[in-house]
Amino acid sequence: MTSKETSAGSGRQRSRTPVVPRRALRDGVYDAILEKLLDGSAPPGSSLGIDSLARELEVSPTPVREALVQLEHTGLVTRTALKGYRVAPPLSPEQLAELFDMRGILEVAAVERAVAHTDDLLPELRAAHARHVLAAHRVRKLRGAEGQPTDFADLREYFAADWEFHLTIIRAAGNRFLSQSVESLGTHVHRLRQTVDHGTMDLEQAIDEHAAILAAFETRDPERPRAAMRDHLAAVARRVSADG
């Protein structure tokens, strides 16, 4: 290889090297801002200054700006000309109704398709339910006997386990486009958690309803899982409406 080729190769390598670190930095900033949105430290309507966030996170303004653009697409953040970015207001009653309507359409369809793969699904669904139960147990311990509310950092594992139970069924449906559609609702489910008071969580009800869905799959009756999922989503919607 000539020195010219070596130099050219080194130049190409140098030009590619920053891509992954920059993406990792942007993703890290995205996660940090997302946690601020969900833990209440950046409440709905509050301003999100690029420079102040960059100083707080000890990064340059560029990854902050890129992360805010991503968050704007999720609906968690809004941008107004000449005013910059703000935390989006909580979901309105109409938006909540539409969110649960869409979840019902997509998740019941996923259940209908997943029943054909019940034998493969059941071990994974049992494991997902066990993780959800364990996460709920940890939240109860953190709350103590008086049931004091916990902050989002304490609830992160619980929320992730709750959503993973649903995603386990959705993946078992075997339709990548259905999976992508449901997973895109994940950020809106996060917005839902902005709306609901952390002190009025439905730990017991959610665990019981997930157990009913699991038991319905175990019957091998194709109708029962669909009914159990529909009942669960309707119950969550009622609880959220009551909290609001």
Side-chain angles (χ1 to χ4, degrees):
M1 181 179 292
T2 67
S3 59
K4 183 176 182 180
E5 289 171 333
T6 302
S7 176
S10 299
R12 286 194 298 271
Q13 185 177 9
R14 284 195 299 272
S15 66
R16 288 197 301 267
T17 300
V19 173
V20 173
R22 177 172 175 178
R23 184 178 302 159
L25 177 61
R26 181 195 63 201
D27 292 346
V29 170
Y30 177 96
D31 290 342
I33 298 175
L34 178 61
E35 183 167 334
K36 289 176 65 65
L37 302 181
L38 300 179
D39 69 8
S41 60
S46 61
S47 176
L48 294 168
I50 292 174
D51 291 338
S52 59
L53 283 170
R55 286 192 298 272
E56 178 183 343
L57 300 174
E58 298 182 349
V59 297
S60 72
T62 298
V64 173
R65 187 177 294 106
E66 292 172 347
L68 288 172
V69 169
Q70 280 186 280
L71 285 163
E72 185 180 8
H73 292 314
T74 70
L76 288 168
V77 164
T78 61
R79 183 178 181 276
T80 304
L82 304 179
K83 293 184 178 180
Y85 291 95
R86 289 189 177 274
V87 182
L91 292 170
S92 68
E94 293 78 13
Q95 289 173 316
L96 287 171
E98 291 174 4
L99 173 60
F100 279 100
D101 183 37
M102 180 56 76
R103 283 191 67 180
I105 292 169
L106 294 174
E107 294 199 51
V108 172
V111 167
E112 291 172 348
R113 288 153 180 79
V115 293
H117 310 287
T118 296
D119 289 342
D120 292 331
L121 168 63
L122 277 174
E124 295 184 14
L125 195 59
R126 290 176 183 132
H129 181 57
R131 288 191 292 270
H132 186 207
V133 170
L134 179 59
H137 172 68
R138 288 172 176 159
V139 171
R140 291 189 202 99
K141 287 184 66 177
L142 288 167
R143 284 181 151 192
E146 297 181 359
Q148 294 299 317
T150 49
D151 60 27
F152 180 76
D154 295 331
L155 297 174
R156 185 188 295 108
E157 180 186 3
Y158 172 81
F159 287 145
D162 183 302
W163 187 232
E164 181 61 24
F165 180 89
H166 289 261
L167 293 179
T168 299
I169 296 171
I170 290 155
R171 288 191 291 265
N175 184 313
R176 72 190 68 188
F177 298 107
L178 178 59
S179 294
Q180 289 170 5
S181 297
V182 177
E183 289 184 15
S184 72
L185 295 179
T187 53
H188 300 288
V189 174
H190 286 318
R191 288 193 71 198
L192 168 64
R193 289 165 183 155
Q194 281 183 306
T195 306
V196 179
D197 182 357
H198 292 164
T200 56
M201 287 180 59
D202 57 349
L203 290 173
E204 308 301 334
Q205 298 97 319
I207 292 294
D208 290 345
E209 289 158 16
H210 283 192
I213 294 168
L214 173 58
F217 273 104
E218 290 173 331
T219 67
R220 267 52 176 201
D221 181 339
E223 295 301 320
R224 291 184 64 178
R226 177 169 54 186
M229 178 61 77
R230 190 183 296 116
D231 290 346
H232 170 48
L233 293 175
V236 176
R238 287 194 298 271
R239 292 194 290 270
V240 170
S241 298
D243 287 337

